[in-house]
């Protein structure tokens, strides 16, 4: 007889509302912190921390630091995964949130290059690495809290709540930057695509400092969680691994690779639609590498409108994945991403209406592909290595996709003489790789998180995993 999701009677149970709020608010804060760096990387950091006579070189340098955090994310996944699989999900989530919050706050008080030279740039890189390290442990822990506490048949729906933190964090972060831009507008006659002197002087720091308030709220909510019954049961039965990383690499290598490439198209689409699009949209039409020429406030409002569709379709994707399966749902969505990448230039060529349609379609597909990942990646691995396995897949994919996507996109943008058609082709190519991974994988909709049976069917060390050996 299958065990109930809450485990044995004496085990404390998290109320469903607490699970959903704790996973949503935590990832919202984490993504807020991450996004405000991404916005500043386009808007102010090239001028404040990477001075160069060539604006493109300064932008690429800023993007390189943005990508450096992606390299730190797998390291965070391993460290926090080890802690989460050995000590539990709750404690690990608290530490990851504190790390991210502290790094973000410190960015807000850093000196600029004009004040401290390359020391300022080095400190920015260090804080960015700390952000990536923290986010490497945040996502998988939040996804596990959501899915391991989900009722039968609603695991993908519950898994969309930590995913929903991505669009909400984007809206809050960029909304605050937009507010500061409105309060500190450029002088009359100045280039509307560029921030004002006051914004460059101190206005950009406010979103980073405000993160301290959000982190305090997130810590209060998460402190009220109890450990998931699934993990508690594994620990009581002696199933906790001494070295989760060694176990997952030795026994679940195929799942690690498939999970990494299943996430690839999602990451590339995500960072092209957020980070690259902001740079492309704000660049003047008469620049050396021309862009769309929108003012900052105008284009951010367009982005936020698109991200509303991201949020809505993240929630829509959960019931779809619960009903039709994760693999089937994502296969159709990824095929649509391939097509979307091939129509970038004709869409954008339609003028402002086409640009808005491009953003809406891109963010709609983003919600549909991102939402099911909160359930699919944890379902690939048994409880004893679920934090480590899902975290590594999710964050190694960030290197292959997000770390290089803005950098490659700028190079392809230049190669296309200001046209984004090559950037769209790049997105389509990455989506094809994700399609292959989906077709090689198996459906995980009916896997039991209590025993990880499906995840172990091809595990050569199955007997070791099943008996809880190290």
């Amino acid at each position: 007889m299958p065990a109930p999701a809450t485990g044995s009677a004496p085990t404390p149970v998290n109320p469903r509302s607490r699970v959903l709020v704790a996973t949503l608010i935590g990832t919202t804060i984490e993504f807020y912190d991450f996004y405000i760096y991404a916005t500043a990387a386009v808007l102010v950091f090239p001028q404040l921390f990477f001075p160069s006579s060539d604006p493109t070189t300064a932008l690429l340098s800023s993007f390189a630091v943005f990508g450096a955090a992606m390299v730190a994310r797998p390291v965070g996944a391993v460290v926090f995964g080890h802690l989460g699989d050995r000590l539990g999900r709750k404690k690990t989530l608290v530490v990851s949130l504190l790390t991210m919050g502290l790094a973000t706050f410190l960015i807000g008080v850093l000196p600029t290059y004009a004040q401290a030279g390359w020391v300022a740039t080095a400190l920015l890189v260090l804080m960015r690495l700390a952000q990536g390290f923290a986010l490497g442990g945040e996502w998988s822990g939040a996804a596990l809290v959501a899915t391991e506490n989900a009722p039968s048949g609603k695991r993908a729906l519950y898994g969309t709540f930590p995913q929903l933190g991505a669009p909400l964090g984007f809206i809050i972060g960029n909304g605050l930057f937009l507010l500061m831009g409105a309060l500190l507008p450029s002088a009359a006659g100045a280039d509307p695509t560029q921030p004002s002197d006051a914004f460059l002087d101190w206005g950009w720091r406010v979103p980073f400092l405000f993160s301290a308030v959000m982190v305090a709220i997130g810590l209060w909510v998460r402190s009220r969680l109890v450990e998931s019954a699934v993990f508690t049961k594994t620990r009581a039965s002696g199933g906790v691994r001494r070295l989760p990383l060694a176990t997952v690499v030795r026994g679940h290598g195929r799942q690690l690779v498939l999970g990494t490439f299943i996430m690839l198209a999602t990451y590339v689409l995500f960072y092209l639609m957020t980070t690259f699009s902001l740079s492309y949209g704000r660049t003047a039409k008469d620049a050396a590498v021309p862009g769309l020429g929108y003012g900052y406030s105008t284009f951010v409002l367009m982005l936020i409108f698109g991200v509303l569709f991201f949020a809505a379709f993240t929630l829509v994707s959960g019931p779809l994945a619960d009903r039709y399966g994760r693999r089937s749902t994502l296969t159709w969505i990824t095929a649509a991403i391939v097509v979307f990448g091939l129509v970038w230039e004709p869409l954008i060529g339609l003028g402002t209406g086409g640009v808005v349609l491009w953003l809406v379609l891109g963010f709609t597909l983003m919600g549909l592909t991102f939402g099911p990942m909160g359930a699919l990646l944890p379902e690939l691995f048994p409880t004893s290595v679920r934090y480590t396995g899902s975290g590594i897949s999710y964050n190694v994919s960030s290197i292959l996709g997000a770390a290089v996507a803005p950098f490659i996109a700028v190079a392809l943008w230049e190669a296309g003489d200001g046209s984004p058609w090559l950037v769209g082709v790049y997105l389509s190519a990455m989506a094809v790789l994700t399609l292959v991974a989906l077709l090689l994988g198996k459906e995980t909709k009916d896997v039991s998180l209590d025993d990880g049976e499906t995840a172990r069917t091809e595990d050569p060390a199955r007997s070791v995993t099943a008996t809880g050996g190290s």
Side-chain angles (χ1 to χ4, degrees), residues 386-435:
R386 187 170 295 135
Y387 205 129
T388 301
S390 61
I392 290 176
S393 292
Y394 183 84
N395 290 291
V396 169
S397 188
S398 76
I399 297 179
L400 302 180
V404 298
F407 198 86
I408 291 175
V410 171
L412 293 175
W413 176 25
E414 287 187 312
D417 296 324
S419 168
W421 75 274
L422 286 174
V423 183
V425 170
Y426 164 61
L427 170 62
S428 296
M430 297 302 100
V432 169
L433 292 179
T434 290
L435 266 179

Coordinates of all heavy atoms in Angstrom, one line a residue, residues 386-435:
R386 N 18.3 13.9 -4.2 CA 17.4 14.7 -5.0 C 17.9 16.2 -5.0 O 17.8 16.9 -6.1 CB 16.0 14.6 -4.5 CG 14.9 15.3 -5.4 CD 13.5 15.0 -5.0 NE 13.3 13.6 -5.2 CZ 12.7 12.7 -4.4 NH1 12.3 13.2 -3.2 NH2 12.5 11.5 -4.7
Y387 N 18.3 16.7 -3.9 CA 18.7 18.1 -3.8 C 20.0 18.3 -4.7 O 20.1 19.2 -5.5 CB 19.0 18.4 -2.4 CG 18.9 19.9 -2.0 CD1 18.2 20.3 -0.9 CD2 19.6 20.9 -2.7 CE1 18.1 21.7 -0.5 CE2 19.5 22.2 -2.4 CZ 18.8 22.6 -1.3 OH 18.7 23.9 -0.9
T388 N 20.9 17.4 -4.5 CA 22.2 17.5 -5.3 C 21.9 17.3 -6.8 O 22.4 18.1 -7.6 CB 23.2 16.4 -4.8 OG1 23.4 16.7 -3.4 CG2 24.5 16.5 -5.6
G389 N 21.2 16.2 -7.1 CA 21.0 15.9 -8.6 C 20.2 17.0 -9.3 O 20.7 17.4 -10.4
S390 N 19.1 17.4 -8.8 CA 18.3 18.4 -9.5 C 19.0 19.7 -9.5 O 19.0 20.5 -10.5 CB 16.9 18.6 -8.8 OG 17.1 19.0 -7.4
G391 N 19.8 20.1 -8.4 CA 20.5 21.3 -8.4 C 21.6 21.4 -9.4 O 21.9 22.4 -10.1
I392 N 22.4 20.3 -9.6 CA 23.5 20.2 -10.5 C 22.9 20.3 -11.9 O 23.4 21.1 -12.8 CB 24.3 18.9 -10.4 CG1 25.1 19.0 -9.1 CG2 25.2 18.7 -11.6 CD1 25.8 17.7 -8.7
S393 N 21.9 19.6 -12.3 CA 21.3 19.7 -13.6 C 20.8 21.1 -13.9 O 21.1 21.6 -15.0 CB 20.1 18.7 -13.7 OG 20.5 17.4 -13.7
Y394 N 20.1 21.7 -13.0 CA 19.6 23.0 -13.2 C 20.7 24.0 -13.4 O 20.6 24.9 -14.2 CB 18.7 23.3 -12.0 CG 18.0 24.7 -12.0 CD1 16.8 24.8 -12.7 CD2 18.6 25.8 -11.4 CE1 16.1 26.0 -12.7 CE2 17.9 27.0 -11.4 CZ 16.7 27.1 -12.1 OH 16.0 28.3 -12.1
N395 N 21.8 23.9 -12.6 CA 22.8 25.0 -12.6 C 23.9 24.7 -13.6 O 24.5 25.7 -14.1 CB 23.3 25.1 -11.2 CG 22.3 25.7 -10.3 OD1 22.0 26.9 -10.4 ND2 21.8 25.0 -9.3
V396 N 24.2 23.5 -13.9 CA 25.2 23.3 -15.0 C 24.6 23.8 -16.3 O 25.3 24.4 -17.2 CB 25.6 21.8 -15.1 CG1 26.3 21.5 -16.4 CG2 26.4 21.4 -13.9
S397 N 23.3 23.6 -16.5 CA 22.6 24.1 -17.6 C 22.7 25.7 -17.7 O 22.7 26.3 -18.8 CB 21.1 23.7 -17.6 OG 20.5 24.1 -18.8
S398 N 22.8 26.3 -16.5 CA 23.0 27.7 -16.5 C 24.3 28.2 -17.2 O 24.4 29.3 -17.7 CB 22.9 28.3 -15.1 OG 24.1 28.0 -14.4
I399 N 25.3 27.3 -17.1 CA 26.6 27.7 -17.8 C 26.4 27.5 -19.3 O 26.8 28.4 -20.0 CB 27.7 26.7 -17.3 CG1 28.0 27.0 -15.8 CG2 29.0 27.0 -18.0 CD1 29.1 26.1 -15.2
L400 N 25.8 26.4 -19.7 CA 25.7 26.1 -21.1 C 24.7 27.1 -21.8 O 24.8 27.4 -23.0 CB 25.2 24.7 -21.3 CG 26.1 23.6 -20.8 CD1 25.5 22.2 -21.1 CD2 27.5 23.7 -21.4
G401 N 23.7 27.6 -21.0 CA 22.7 28.4 -21.5 C 22.9 29.9 -21.1 O 23.3 30.7 -21.9
A402 N 22.6 30.2 -19.8 CA 22.6 31.6 -19.4 C 23.9 32.2 -19.3 O 24.0 33.4 -19.6 CB 21.9 31.6 -18.0
A403 N 25.0 31.5 -18.9 CA 26.3 32.2 -18.8 C 26.8 32.8 -20.1 O 27.4 33.9 -20.1 CB 27.3 31.2 -18.2
V404 N 26.6 32.1 -21.2 CA 27.1 32.5 -22.4 C 26.1 33.1 -23.3 O 26.4 33.8 -24.3 CB 27.8 31.3 -23.2 CG1 28.9 30.7 -22.4 CG2 26.8 30.2 -23.4
A405 N 24.8 33.0 -23.0 CA 23.8 33.5 -23.9 C 23.9 35.0 -24.2 O 23.9 35.4 -25.4 CB 22.4 33.1 -23.4
P406 N 23.9 35.9 -23.2 CA 24.0 37.3 -23.5 C 25.3 37.6 -24.3 O 25.3 38.5 -25.2 CB 24.1 37.9 -22.1 CG 23.4 36.9 -21.2 CD 23.9 35.6 -21.7
F407 N 26.4 37.0 -24.0 CA 27.7 37.2 -24.6 C 27.6 36.8 -26.1 O 28.0 37.6 -27.0 CB 28.8 36.4 -23.9 CG 30.2 36.9 -24.2 CD1 30.7 38.0 -23.5 CD2 30.9 36.4 -25.3 CE1 32.0 38.4 -23.8 CE2 32.2 36.8 -25.5 CZ 32.7 37.9 -24.8
I408 N 27.1 35.6 -26.4 CA 26.9 35.1 -27.7 C 25.9 36.0 -28.5 O 26.1 36.3 -29.7 CB 26.5 33.6 -27.7 CG1 27.6 32.7 -27.2 CG2 26.0 33.2 -29.1 CD1 27.2 31.3 -27.1
A409 N 24.9 36.4 -27.8 CA 23.8 37.2 -28.5 C 24.4 38.5 -28.9 O 24.1 39.0 -30.0 CB 22.7 37.4 -27.5
V410 N 25.2 39.2 -28.1 CA 25.9 40.5 -28.5 C 26.7 40.2 -29.8 O 26.7 41.0 -30.7 CB 26.6 41.1 -27.4 CG1 27.4 42.3 -27.9 CG2 25.7 41.5 -26.3
A411 N 27.5 39.2 -29.7 CA 28.4 38.9 -30.9 C 27.6 38.6 -32.2 O 27.9 39.1 -33.2 CB 29.3 37.7 -30.6
L412 N 26.5 37.9 -32.0 CA 25.6 37.6 -33.2 C 24.9 38.8 -33.7 O 24.7 39.0 -34.8 CB 24.7 36.5 -32.9 CG 25.3 35.1 -32.6 CD1 24.2 34.1 -32.2 CD2 26.0 34.6 -33.9
W413 N 24.5 39.7 -32.7 CA 23.9 41.0 -33.0 C 24.9 41.8 -33.8 O 24.5 42.4 -34.9 CB 23.5 41.6 -31.7 CG 22.9 43.0 -31.7 CD1 22.3 43.6 -32.8 CD2 23.0 43.9 -30.7 NE1 21.9 44.8 -32.4 CE2 22.3 45.1 -31.1 CE3 23.5 43.9 -29.4 CZ2 22.1 46.2 -30.3 CZ3 23.3 45.0 -28.6 CH2 22.6 46.2 -29.0
E414 N 26.1 41.9 -33.5 CA 27.1 42.6 -34.2 C 27.3 42.0 -35.6 O 27.4 42.7 -36.6 CB 28.4 42.6 -33.5 CG 28.5 43.6 -32.3 CD 29.9 43.7 -31.7 OE1 30.5 42.6 -31.5 OE2 30.3 44.8 -31.5
A415 N 27.4 40.6 -35.6 CA 27.6 39.9 -36.9 C 26.4 40.2 -37.9 O 26.6 40.2 -39.1 CB 27.8 38.4 -36.7
G416 N 25.2 40.4 -37.3 CA 24.1 40.7 -38.2 C 23.9 42.1 -38.5 O 22.8 42.5 -39.0
D417 N 24.9 43.0 -38.2 CA 24.9 44.4 -38.4 C 23.6 45.1 -37.8 O 23.0 45.9 -38.4 CB 24.9 44.7 -39.9 CG 26.2 44.3 -40.6 OD1 27.3 44.4 -39.9 OD2 26.2 43.8 -41.7
G418 N 23.3 44.6 -36.6 CA 22.2 45.2 -35.9 C 20.9 44.4 -36.0 O 19.9 44.7 -35.3
S419 N 20.8 43.5 -36.9 CA 19.7 42.6 -37.0 C 19.8 41.5 -36.0 O 20.9 40.9 -35.8 CB 19.5 42.0 -38.4 OG 18.6 41.0 -38.4
P420 N 18.7 41.1 -35.3 CA 18.7 40.0 -34.4 C 18.5 38.6 -34.9 O 18.3 37.7 -34.2 CB 17.6 40.4 -33.4 CG 16.6 41.0 -34.3 CD 17.3 41.7 -35.4
W421 N 18.5 38.5 -36.3 CA 18.0 37.2 -36.8 C 19.0 36.0 -36.4 O 18.5 34.9 -36.2 CB 17.9 37.3 -38.3 CG 19.2 37.3 -39.1 CD1 20.0 38.4 -39.4 CD2 19.8 36.1 -39.7 NE1 21.1 38.0 -40.1 CE2 21.0 36.6 -40.3 CE3 19.5 34.8 -39.8 CZ2 21.9 35.8 -41.0 CZ3 20.4 34.0 -40.5 CH2 21.6 34.4 -41.1
L422 N 20.3 36.3 -36.3 CA 21.2 35.3 -35.9 C 21.0 34.9 -34.5 O 21.2 33.7 -34.1 CB 22.6 35.7 -36.2 CG 23.1 35.7 -37.6 CD1 24.5 36.4 -37.7 CD2 23.2 34.3 -38.2
V423 N 20.6 35.8 -33.6 CA 20.3 35.5 -32.2 C 19.1 34.6 -32.2 O 19.1 33.6 -31.4 CB 20.0 36.8 -31.5 CG1 19.8 36.5 -30.0 CG2 21.2 37.8 -31.6
G424 N 18.1 34.8 -33.0 CA 17.0 33.9 -33.0 C 17.3 32.5 -33.5 O 16.8 31.5 -32.9
V425 N 18.2 32.4 -34.5 CA 18.7 31.1 -34.9 C 19.4 30.4 -33.8 O 19.3 29.2 -33.7 CB 19.6 31.3 -36.2 CG1 20.2 30.0 -36.6 CG2 18.7 31.8 -37.4
Y426 N 20.2 31.1 -33.1 CA 20.9 30.5 -31.9 C 19.9 29.9 -30.9 O 20.1 28.8 -30.4 CB 21.8 31.6 -31.3 CG 22.3 31.3 -29.9 CD1 23.1 30.2 -29.6 CD2 21.9 32.1 -28.8 CE1 23.6 29.9 -28.4 CE2 22.4 31.9 -27.6 CZ 23.2 30.8 -27.3 OH 23.7 30.5 -26.1
L427 N 18.9 30.6 -30.6 CA 17.8 30.1 -29.7 C 17.2 28.8 -30.3 O 17.0 27.9 -29.6 CB 16.7 31.2 -29.5 CG 15.5 30.7 -28.8 CD1 15.8 30.3 -27.4 CD2 14.4 31.8 -28.8
S428 N 16.9 28.8 -31.6 CA 16.3 27.6 -32.2 C 17.2 26.4 -32.1 O 16.8 25.3 -31.9 CB 15.9 27.9 -33.7 OG 15.0 28.9 -33.7
A429 N 18.5 26.7 -32.3 CA 19.5 25.6 -32.3 C 19.6 25.0 -30.9 O 19.6 23.7 -30.7 CB 20.9 26.1 -32.7
M430 N 19.5 25.8 -29.8 CA 19.6 25.3 -28.5 C 18.3 24.6 -28.1 O 18.3 23.6 -27.4 CB 19.8 26.5 -27.5 CG 21.1 27.2 -27.6 SD 22.6 26.2 -27.4 CE 23.0 25.9 -29.2
A431 N 17.2 25.0 -28.7 CA 15.9 24.3 -28.5 C 15.9 22.9 -29.1 O 15.3 22.0 -28.6 CB 14.7 25.2 -29.0
V432 N 16.6 22.8 -30.2 CA 16.7 21.5 -30.9 C 17.4 20.5 -29.9 O 17.0 19.3 -29.8 CB 17.4 21.6 -32.2 CG1 17.8 20.2 -32.8 CG2 16.5 22.3 -33.2
L433 N 18.5 21.0 -29.3 CA 19.2 20.1 -28.3 C 18.3 19.7 -27.2 O 18.3 18.5 -26.7 CB 20.4 20.8 -27.8 CG 21.5 21.1 -28.8 CD1 22.7 21.9 -28.1 CD2 22.1 19.8 -29.4
T434 N 17.5 20.6 -26.7 CA 16.5 20.3 -25.7 C 15.5 19.2 -26.1 O 15.1 18.3 -25.4 CB 15.8 21.5 -25.2 OG1 16.7 22.3 -24.4 CG2 14.6 21.2 -24.2
L435 N 15.0 19.4 -27.4 CA 14.1 18.4 -27.9 C 14.7 17.0 -28.0 O 14.0 16.0 -27.6 CB 13.7 18.8 -29.4 CG 12.5 19.7 -29.6 CD1 12.3 20.0 -31.0 CD2 11.2 18.9 -29.0

